[in-house]
Amino acid sequence: MFRAVCLVFVASASIAWAQFYGLATPSDGSVVYFSSTLRLKGSSQPNYPKLFAADETGVRLFRVLPKMSVQSSDDTCGFSGHYIVNWTQVSANGSTVAATGEWVGCDNSNLQYSTDLINATGERQITGGLYLSPGGRYAVVETFLTGSPYYAFAVLDLQTGASAPIALPAESCFWGLSGVRPVADNGTVILSCGTSGAGAFFLGFIAS
């Protein structure tokens, strides 16, 4: 059964970003998680990104997300240098929630990701963008590099804490994660690589 939930916010954001980011639900759709710089009516919540949860009882503040610690002096450029939450991931049973934020420098370089991970063991920040497996045990972490191949990937076991970097094939293209859930419940990751123009090609790669 689908239920309509009315979201009541007051527009108090000082930055003209879109109002809602990264809507995500567990498999039963019982709750919707999303990020917003807006605040609940009558509250004194900060403007910078927060994670909300909406269900049949209404909307509540789930977490005030910590600001990223940007490892750069390139932090004075104004609009394009602000931190936003790009996507939210929820495990199928709702036990694990991950919100990934992004910071972009003035010239669209120095891209940095940080993820706030919340599960039964507590809350922690992970450097990089994070995608959860459906069951919530594994995650693939994506970090931006300043030179080729521009992105690095690793599989993180959230149960044991073990992290294993993914060794990518030596191809002249940009590797990226494939699909909304690029990591399976057994830790297998699907990546893709492609080029455009004359001689364009597309490759798929499974890391297990």
Side-chain angles (χ1 to χ4, degrees):
M1 178 183 294
F2 293 95
R3 297 179 176 88
V5 177
C6 180
L7 310 183
V8 182
F9 288 90
V10 57
S12 61
S14 59
I15 304 170
W17 295 109
Q19 295 180 345
F20 305 103
Y21 290 94
L23 278 72
T25 72
S27 61
D28 63 3
S30 59
V31 58
V32 178
Y33 295 92
F34 62 93
S35 174
S36 179
T37 56
L38 304 184
R39 66 188 186 201
L40 289 169
K41 185 176 181 179
S43 74
S44 58
Q45 297 158 359
N47 287 342
Y48 58 82
K50 304 168 292 292
L51 199 61
F52 293 93
D55 58 20
E56 61 182 7
T57 66
V59 181
R60 67 185 184 277
L61 177 66
F62 185 70
R63 286 291 189 283
V64 174
L65 301 175
K67 291 182 177 181
M68 287 181 66
S69 177
V70 178
Q71 304 300 315
S72 170
S73 59
D74 183 21
D75 59 1
T76 59
C77 55
F79 185 85
S80 65
H82 282 286
Y83 166 61
I84 62 172
V85 173
N86 261 7
W87 67 87
T88 305
Q89 294 259 303
V90 186
S91 61
N93 64 3
S95 64
T96 303
V97 179
T100 294
E102 174 188 285
W103 188 94
V104 183
C106 298
D107 58 356
N108 290 324
S109 64
N110 193 33
L111 177 64
Q112 297 181 41
Y113 293 121
S114 178
T115 298
D116 203 46
L117 179 72
I118 304 108
N119 57 19
T121 62
E123 181 176 355
R124 59 175 168 149
Q125 275 195 294
I126 296 174
T127 299
L130 186 145
Y131 294 86
L132 289 171
S133 65
R137 172 170 178 173
Y138 293 98
V140 57
V141 180
E142 173 188 55
T143 53
F144 180 71
L145 307 175
T146 56
S148 181
Y150 298 103
Y151 286 95
F153 307 93
V155 177
L156 177 63
D157 187 331
L158 298 177
Q159 184 174 346
T160 66
S163 179
I166 297 175
L168 296 172
E171 299 288 347
S172 299
C173 56
F174 298 111
W175 287 99
L177 297 169
S178 183
V180 177
R181 292 280 191 185
V183 55
D185 278 334
N186 64 355
T188 298
V189 178
I190 299 178
L191 301 103
S192 60
C193 177
T195 63
S196 59
F201 64 91
F202 183 84
L203 298 173
F205 177 65
I206 298 176
S208 59

